[in-house]
Amino acid sequence: MRYYAYYPGCSMEATGLPVEKSIKAIAKPLDLEFIELEDWTCCGSSPFAGVDKSKAIGITARTLAQAEKTGLDLVTPCSSCYTILQEANDLLKEDHKLAERVREALSAIGLSYNGTVKVRHIVEVLFNDVGPAGLAAKVVRPLTGLKAACYAGCQQVRPSYGFDDSEYPDWLDQMAQSLGAEPVNFPLKARCCGSSLVISESDVALDLIHRLLQNAQDNGAQCIVSTTCPLCFTALDVYQPVVNGMFKKKFNLPVLAITQMIAIALGLDIKASALDGNVVSPQKLLKPFLTSKPQADKAETPA
Amino acid sequence: MGDNAQTTFLDEVAALPACDKINQCIQCGVCSGSCTTAMHWEYPPRKVIAMVRSGLKDELLKSNSIWFCVSCYLCTTRCPLDIKPASIVHGLESIALKEGYKPPTTTTTMYRTFSESIVNNGRIYEFGFMFKYYLQTNPLAALKMLPTALKLLVHRRLPLTPKRVKGKADLRIIIDKLSAGVGK
Ligand code: SF4
Ligand code: SF4
Ligand code: SF4
Ligand code: SF4
């Protein structure tokens, strides 16, 4: 069993809930344990940094300090949190003046941070600590022939923190392939969905989401396998009907978080993949897999 | 604007976290060519940097530029000199908000309501934040969003009450401490 400090991020408690459920479900079968930080607070995301960066970093530092106490790697499924935690971690090492002020602020709440935390994205953990081969070894329901456009989005791979390729990443593709699926070419796989403007400049964001969906469909995808980021996942799934209305399109591309896909391929109980939380229903597309008998040799013995 | 004011704007920006390399920009334009939303900016990223260095503060901060940044970081990974244009853009946003500029976008209100939600709840409370945002900008636009909100509700992805986190008191203290004294 491998242990990690876990930081879900606020969106995982709302729009990202289906992804969160699938993460919880696949952890144990993959010999991972994600220990949620106690009483965590928001990461101090980019809108906050746009209001006041120093304060935003102070807020982020609380999470880093909490994680440091556990002595474990800090893992998050939210690409936005990932970038923010990484950036703050770097800045607190490079910008001594800022670090000093943050140190004072933290001491006022009885915390300190010495810069030792390693921040990791859950997709990177799945890829490096479990690996495509490790996944393949546990597959009992191969998703054979399922054509998938794998979407990494932006902040998982940019700015790059040693994570995959920042222009044309393929870690998600490799993992989807190890589950039996067939990744298609997807040129826009690391382009932005505009999620941060989906409320205030919705036309701009919907235009970007439209391009992503069109590009996936044009390349023959039957579904999109997305990163675990609740914001990316929501943009493609929840806003798909809105894009259809606005651009007079009929996209029906189910969006599966990679962790939902893993839950299915591992043959876990249907509740584990939390597919009922998806707005674009994947039930019909996945029916052949969900009703197929798990391959007996690898199936888990029922408890 | 005299020479003095010009130096001040550049200094003001360069002093923000992760903005210190702005002086080394060679104006190659890779950031503008990469930018996901450049077509919407009155002045795209490369020009934004040039305007900061020329002290064109009012022109820049009254425009819609910077507010269309979607934090895709294409500029930042591709910039040959590691200038971090995205950090500069977000830094400029904070100056514009602090100094009361009124650019033609409601993203400013979104940032404000979003940040208030963090301070008030310790975590983002999505429903509450969106409700406030629409109330302060365009309640009619909320109607357009209603079908989406309903879908989220049906799929149990939009809790209607905020989580209570004790840590929110900590956030207040951190923010107070960082409000006092040096830096902006
Ligand atoms: S990135 Fe957004 S969702 Fe994630 S913790 Fe920060 S504010 Fe919350
Ligand atoms: S793809 Fe969209 S949601 Fe995902 S990290 Fe980029 S902007 Fe954020
Ligand atoms: S890419 Fe970098 S060096 Fe080139 S114009 Fe943009 S900020 Fe300047
Ligand atoms: S991070 Fe912002 S400024 Fe940079 S390329 Fe993306 S949208 Fe443009």
Side-chain angles (χ1 to χ4, degrees):
Chain A
M1 191 69 88
R2 294 171 192 264
Y3 299 91
Y4 307 86
Y6 184 63
Y7 180 79
C10 333
S11 296
M12 274 299 184
E13 298 187 321
T15 45
L17 270 170
V19 188
E20 176 72 357
K21 285 182 192 157
S22 64
I23 290 172
K24 294 233 158 91
I26 63 166
K28 211 166 161 209
L30 295 178
D31 296 320
L32 309 171
E33 188 166 335
F34 299 115
I35 304 160
E36 189 165 326
L37 287 181
E38 218 172 289
D39 194 46
W40 56 269
T41 41
C42 165
C43 69
S45 82
S46 23
F48 203 109
V51 173
D52 191 315
K53 181 81 166 246
S54 304
K55 290 180 194 165
I57 289 171
I59 289 179
T60 316
R62 179 179 186 268
T63 300
L64 291 169
Q66 283 182 316
E68 195 169 58
K69 283 206 276 189
T70 68
L72 301 168
D73 287 355
L74 177 62
V75 174
T76 178
C78 172
S79 300
S80 181
C81 303
Y82 174 69
T83 296
I84 283 149
L85 290 162
Q86 290 278 25
E87 194 198 17
N89 212 9
D90 283 352
L91 273 176
L92 289 171
K93 278 173 215 155
E94 291 159 12
D95 189 332
H96 300 291
K97 259 205 270 172
L98 177 70
E100 187 47 43
R101 297 178 63 211
V102 168
R103 191 170 308 128
E104 275 171 34
L106 282 182
S107 76
I109 55 169
L111 286 174
S112 66
Y113 182 55
N114 300 309
T116 64
V117 171
K118 192 166 163 206
V119 177
R120 302 180 66 187
H121 194 292
I122 202 164
V123 170
E124 183 262 313
V125 168
L126 290 170
F127 186 82
N128 283 324
D129 296 3
V130 180
L135 286 173
K138 298 207 162 149
V139 169
V140 298
R141 266 198 183 123
L143 301 164
T144 312
L146 187 66
K147 289 199 170 62
C150 297
Y151 183 65
C154 23
Q155 301 193 4
Q156 173 173 307
V157 291
R158 283 188 308 270
S160 4
Y161 294 101
F163 190 129
D164 211 339
D165 189 85
S166 63
E167 302 279 347
Y168 200 69
D170 78 341
W171 287 3
L172 281 172
D173 301 68
Q174 289 188 45
M175 288 196 275
Q177 198 161 19
S178 73
L179 305 174
E182 208 179 291
V184 301
N185 177 36
F186 185 24
L188 298 192
K189 61 183 5 180
R191 291 313 166 93
C192 186
C193 70
S195 147
S196 63
L197 291 181
V198 82
I199 306 277
S200 61
E201 297 286 352
S202 54
D203 289 359
V204 174
L206 291 171
D207 172 44
L208 295 174
I209 300 170
H210 174 219
R211 293 179 206 205
L212 297 175
L213 295 169
Q214 189 69 53
N215 192 239
Q217 182 166 293
D218 290 349
N219 282 284
Q222 296 168 294
C223 64
I224 293 176
V225 171
S226 89
T227 164
T228 49
C229 175
L231 310 169
C232 306
F233 174 76
T234 296
L236 294 169
D237 175 46
V238 177
Y239 286 93
Q240 200 171 130
V242 189
V243 166
N244 281 340
M246 183 158 158
F247 295 90
K248 312 232 171 334
K249 290 286 167 71
K250 290 192 179 127
F251 293 117
N252 183 20
L253 281 169
V255 182
L256 298 166
I258 182 73
T259 46
Q260 289 185 303
M261 206 184 190
I262 293 173
I264 299 165
L266 294 185
L268 304 181
D269 182 90
I270 179 78
K271 273 200 219 117
S273 45
L275 296 176
D276 57 347
N278 293 39
V279 166
V280 181
S281 171
Q283 307 281 358
K284 199 169 147 210
L285 178 67
L286 295 178
K287 201 165 171 210
F289 305 108
L290 294 171
T291 49
S292 74
K293 270 222 177 72
Q295 292 173 358
D297 55 328
K298 283 190 231 157
E300 284 175 81
T301 30
Chain B
M1 262 189 277
D3 271 338
N4 239 350
Q6 292 181 14
T7 343
T8 314
F9 186 35
L10 176 58
D11 287 349
E12 195 181 355
V13 175
L16 294 168
C19 298
D20 53 316
K21 288 198 184 147
I22 185 165
N23 260 318
Q24 293 160 31
C25 166
I26 52 166
Q27 290 288 298
C28 68
V30 164
C31 49
S32 292
S34 303
C35 182
T36 302
T37 52
M39 61 284 210
H40 302 292
W41 300 41
E42 280 174 61
Y43 314 108
R46 180 193 62 81
K47 267 197 188 154
V48 165
I49 290 176
M51 289 172 84
V52 172
R53 299 206 300 200
S54 315
L56 299 171
K57 185 172 182 175
D58 278 358
E59 286 89 333
L60 175 57
L61 297 186
K62 278 183 188 160
S63 76
N64 74 4
S65 302
I66 69 184
W67 296 101
F68 282 98
C69 174
V70 282
S71 301
C72 71
Y73 292 100
L74 279 168
C75 56
T76 299
T77 36
R78 290 179 182 174
C79 170
L81 279 122
D82 193 27
I83 307 293
K84 302 195 169 76
S87 301
I88 293 173
V89 164
H90 289 306
L92 286 166
E93 288 170 342
S94 68
I95 295 179
L97 284 181
K98 228 166 269 177
E99 301 187 8
Y101 281 90
K102 303 248 172 322
T105 173
T106 59
T107 302
T108 44
T109 312
M110 189 269 282
Y111 273 33
R112 217 177 279 115
T113 43
F114 188 93
S115 304
E116 279 165 16
S117 181
I118 296 176
V119 179
N120 292 337
N121 303 299
R123 292 178 195 170
I124 288 295
Y125 164 43
E126 288 181 339
F127 180 75
F129 138 66
M130 288 191 243
F131 190 78
K132 260 204 196 138
Y133 164 82
Y134 283 118
L135 217 60
Q136 290 180 22
T137 52
N138 181 1
L140 281 178
L143 283 179
K144 247 177 49 188
M145 289 303 298
L146 208 58
T148 306
L150 284 174
K151 281 194 193 96
L152 283 169
L153 278 174
V154 169
H155 289 87
R156 296 187 303 279
R157 288 165 69 175
L158 194 62
L160 297 181
T161 48
K163 284 249 171 175
R164 299 261 163 239
V165 268
K166 285 187 260 115
K168 91 176 185 194
D170 283 2
L171 296 192
R172 288 250 160 98
I173 296 172
I174 292 175
I175 288 167
D176 276 355
K177 285 275 166 195
L178 289 168
S179 302
V182 283
K184 290 141 222 154

